[in-house]
Amino acid sequence: ADGYQLLAELGAVDEEKRLTEIGAQLAKLPIDPRVARMILAARGENCLREVLIIAAALSVQDPRERPFERQEAADQSHARFVDERSDFMGFLRLWNFFEEAIRHKKSNRKLVELCHENFLSHRRLREWREIHGQLHAMAAEMGIRPNEAPATHDQIHRALMAGLLGNLGFKADESGEYLGARGVKFQIFPGSTLRKARPKWIMAAELMETARLYARCVARVEPEWIEKVAGSLLRHHYFDPHWEKSGAQVVAFDRLTLYGLTVVPKRRVHYGPVNPREAREIFIRGALVAGEWDTRAPFLEHNRRLVEQVQELEHKARRQDVLVDEHTIFSFYDGIVPPDIHNGAAFERWRKDSERRNPQLLFLTREFLMRHGAADITEAQFPETLEAAGARLALAYRFDPGHPLDGVTVTVPLELLNQLDEARLEWLVPGMLREKVAWYIKALPKQVRRNLVPVPEHVTRFLEARDRAAGAASAPGLTEAMAQFVQRELGSPFSADAWEGEKPPPHLRMNIRVVDDAGHELASGRDLGRLRAELGQAAQLTFSAADAGIERDRVTGWDFGNLPEEIAFTRQGRRLTGYPALVDQGDSVSIRLMDTRAAADAAMRAGVRRLLRLELKVQMKQLEKSLPGFQQAALILRPVIPPDELREDLLTAITDRAFIGEDPLPRSEKEFQSQKQRARTRLPAVSDAACRMLGAVAAEYQVTSQSLGSAGGALLRVSHDLRGQLQKLVYRGFFSATPWEQIAHLPRYLTAMRLRLEKYGNNPERDQRHAASIAALWARYEQRLEKNRKSGIREPRVEEFRWQLEELRVSLFAQELRTPYPVSAKRLEKFWAAI
């Protein structure tokens, strides 16, 4: 068995144990088969002269001596024979030294003395020369002639490797241990030149076992030599076969090993010749079924579009049983493509010839790809576009739970972001509405939900009622519509607050994808308020950048004719609607195009107010000089508002009331001039009333602040509550921000705060109960206010609720100050449910 293994290692026998051509040549050389194999390889590498010397040296005992008592001297003498890359090359240097000595020494005695001086064995050197002569004669008999030119290091070691393939080693780790053929592990012998260098790959003349397994006579080798020398002895291990679109073929990775030793860890190869059957299957699945192939063949594009259309039906219906599985499509191609086709080039040759006889040979049909008809997936149920913001916005569907794009996505140009109606987006598309309505019913509290069973029946009733109404476009939003439906079904008040803190799953909320003019995505998400907070200003700037021919700067008088409420224009081939408005710039106004009516109305009021102040600058100068009681009020409110800010705040409130009030905003020069006359007439009376109200607020603020400052002990909790209320009534900019009708009530609200503080000791439990009721209503108000802030919506009824909430405080804590029409908690709850 060992003999056969050696012959196989030398390439003398094949896998069927038959003698090879090399084996026949080895049989003619009556020497060690390893040495004979080196000699045969030397012929091909043109290095016979050097290999014969080394082969003869390997056949005798090393002529270098190293006496125990003179080891250091011997090492110094032998240093001349050392080669840093190979111990084998040391034999050549030693041979040249001895040959030179023979030529120059006249007597044998002097030659022996020279060898003794250099720690060399003269007897072994003579034996070496004799064996070399025998090997040279055998080579000559076989017609192998020595090389005339000196051989290179690589040539010599490749030839030696042919006889030492079983003695190769790969450095396994930094400890210096090498992994050899058939799993053996060894180290370099301490006397070797390469002991310290520890190259990655080595070849040894022999593996000798003493205390451990050592490699003796070692040389550094390259793994590329192993592949060339070993040839058929290498074993191929193919893995990861896959289709490559760029090369239009199936490729795999090949790992080459020699007796279990990895020579090439990973090499990319064409897999077709290796395993045609498997390569054909991978080709069909990758190139034809998956469509991963760049080709002009019409069938592939037709089939790809057909598959995408059926997949789109699956995404819309949110089910994966419409398209047939890949195995069915594979079977279609498998039954047509010949068994010897496994790459793009061969397939193209066959296809062109076959399609001359049958052009539709490889065309799939819609009926073949669909498991059932999917008749309910219609354009009406799942439209391709959404009518919103005055434009048709593209919709995309995806059924991929957990993916950010799961559900339906609307693509919105940046300039239309602020114009989106959040209420419209809540309705999604008709095909997804039933599931969303069912979710709303199932998310109700149990005591309410039990009155709405069975759920599918009530979903149908809601949808039928919606169809009888004007439709989603006229509805305030799905949540509000559902609240109204539940209220009708229960016959009692019901608020959308029941779903507070609950959100439908992501796929039941519209995903909004915002893009720029080039179609590049800027942001996406299901929270319109967050997107507007992030990109709303950029959307307004992008919208304003459109050349609608109306914008102007540094306007100080109405000299621009009529200012329409809205204009239509085209941007990037898209029809848009803009809302012109005057924008306050401090010392002038500008005409700007707004993207929403609400933004235009807010800017227009401030712009008209500023333009009237510029027109009535004489009256304004007189007004600024004579503000009765302002200095005293400013001194009292100084801890809260700087005097200069308070003056501007007061003037803003006066001019807003006197110049505009409840009048409609002017849109023409004639309307503006009429407004100017009314403003001049109303200014004195309004300014007197405003100063009186400011003085009253300041006076009551001073008294209330002093009362809160002296509160302590048991009053700490209620005083903390009152300070929060006070900060929401009197703050920087409060006078112009408070509705004119409510400014007169501010002193009463401040007085009611003092009365509450005084009455607290009489019934603390009642105070806490009323405070909790107020806190719950206030939390709802702030949540709605935050929602409106994100969406850019202004709801006057929500502002009205805020002041009714102050009246409720008066009714609960200071009944003697309430109006003839007091507000109750029950009445306020109904008011909130209505909005």
Side-chain angles (χ1 to χ4, degrees), residues 31 188 204 240 286 353 376 424 543 547 608 664 733 759:
I31 55 176
I188 298 176
D240 191 20
D353 182 63
D376 56 332
R424 173 65 190 91
F543 192 92
D547 184 13
V608 170
K759 293 179 180 181

Side-chain angles (χ1 to χ4, degrees), residues 243-250 282-304 333 337 341-352 355 362:
W243 167 255
E244 279 198 357
K245 182 178 180 180
S246 57
Q249 63 181 3
V250 179
I282 295 174
F283 164 73
I284 293 176
R285 292 190 184 279
L288 304 183
V289 177
E292 293 294 323
W293 185 21
D294 291 328
T295 177
R296 296 182 180 180
F299 85 92
L300 196 61
E301 182 60 27
H302 170 270
N303 294 349
R304 185 188 292 121
Y333 289 115
V337 178
I341 301 295
H342 51 67
N343 60 66
F347 179 85
E348 280 293 277
R349 290 192 295 270
W350 168 81
R351 178 190 65 82
K352 291 177 181 178
E355 286 185 349
L362 295 167

Side-chain angles (χ1 to χ4, degrees), residues 113-138:
E113 289 176 355
L114 178 64
C115 291
H116 183 71
E117 290 172 3
N118 289 277
F119 300 94
L120 298 173
S121 172
H122 179 267
R123 181 180 59 80
R124 295 174 190 167
L125 288 172
R126 286 294 183 183
E127 183 182 357
W128 181 9
R129 294 195 76 219
E130 290 175 5
I131 293 178
H132 174 266
Q134 295 172 8
L135 295 177
H136 189 279
M138 292 180 188

Side-chain angles (χ1 to χ4, degrees), residues 165-365:
L165 287 173
N167 291 351
L168 294 172
F170 172 77
K171 187 169 67 173
D173 52 44
E174 295 304 319
S175 67
E177 189 171 57
Y178 282 80
L179 180 64
R182 303 178 184 88
V184 300
K185 294 181 179 180
F186 58 85
Q187 290 190 347
I188 298 176
F189 188 72
S192 173
T193 306
L194 279 71
R195 172 71 174 184
K196 293 182 179 179
R198 294 178 181 175
K200 193 171 184 178
W201 283 90
I202 62 172
M203 171 180 67
E206 64 174 334
L207 297 178
M208 179 185 68
E209 187 167 7
T210 55
R212 61 196 315 170
L213 191 62
Y214 286 109
R216 299 197 62 168
C217 193
V218 176
R220 181 198 306 265
V221 297
E222 300 298 331
E224 296 81 9
W225 303 349
I226 304 174
E227 186 176 357
K228 179 180 179 181
V229 174
S232 61
L233 297 177
L234 292 170
R235 292 293 175 263
H236 296 265
H237 307 271
Y238 300 98
F239 62 97
D240 191 20
H242 60 279
W243 167 255
E244 279 198 357
K245 182 178 180 180
S246 57
Q249 63 181 3
V250 179
V251 300
F253 296 107
D254 182 14
R255 184 176 72 252
L256 292 176
T257 63
L258 178 65
Y259 307 128
L261 189 64
T262 300
V263 178
V264 179
K266 188 176 182 180
R267 174 182 292 165
R268 182 176 170 275
V269 296
H270 184 198
Y271 195 57
V274 176
N275 191 335
R277 183 174 180 179
E278 185 179 358
R280 175 180 178 273
E281 180 178 345
I282 295 174
F283 164 73
I284 293 176
R285 292 190 184 279
L288 304 183
V289 177
E292 293 294 323
W293 185 21
D294 291 328
T295 177
R296 296 182 180 180
F299 85 92
L300 196 61
E301 182 60 27
H302 170 270
N303 294 349
R304 185 188 292 121
R305 285 200 308 268
L306 210 56
V307 169
E308 288 174 353
Q309 291 172 8
V310 179
Q311 285 176 337
E312 183 69 17
L313 295 178
E314 289 188 329
H315 288 302
K316 290 179 177 179
R318 299 192 63 78
R319 51 192 295 183
Q320 294 181 331
D321 62 346
V322 180
L323 180 66
V324 297
D325 57 24
E326 289 187 355
H327 183 72
T328 302
I329 303 176
F330 170 81
S331 300
F332 169 79
Y333 289 115
D334 187 41
I336 300 175
V337 178
D340 58 335
I341 301 295
H342 51 67
N343 60 66
F347 179 85
E348 280 293 277
R349 290 192 295 270
W350 168 81
R351 178 190 65 82
K352 291 177 181 178
D353 182 63
S354 299
E355 286 185 349
R356 292 192 188 98
R357 298 185 296 272
N358 183 2
Q360 303 295 316
L361 176 65
L362 295 167
F363 279 63
L364 291 168
T365 64

Side-chain angles (χ1 to χ4, degrees), residues 65-66 124 143 275 326 417-418 462 544 561 570 594 626 634 721:
E65 296 178 336
R66 195 168 181 263
R124 295 174 190 167
N275 191 335
E326 289 187 355
L417 177 62
N418 291 332
F462 172 81
S544 300
T570 302
M594 301 295 176
S626 58
D721 188 14

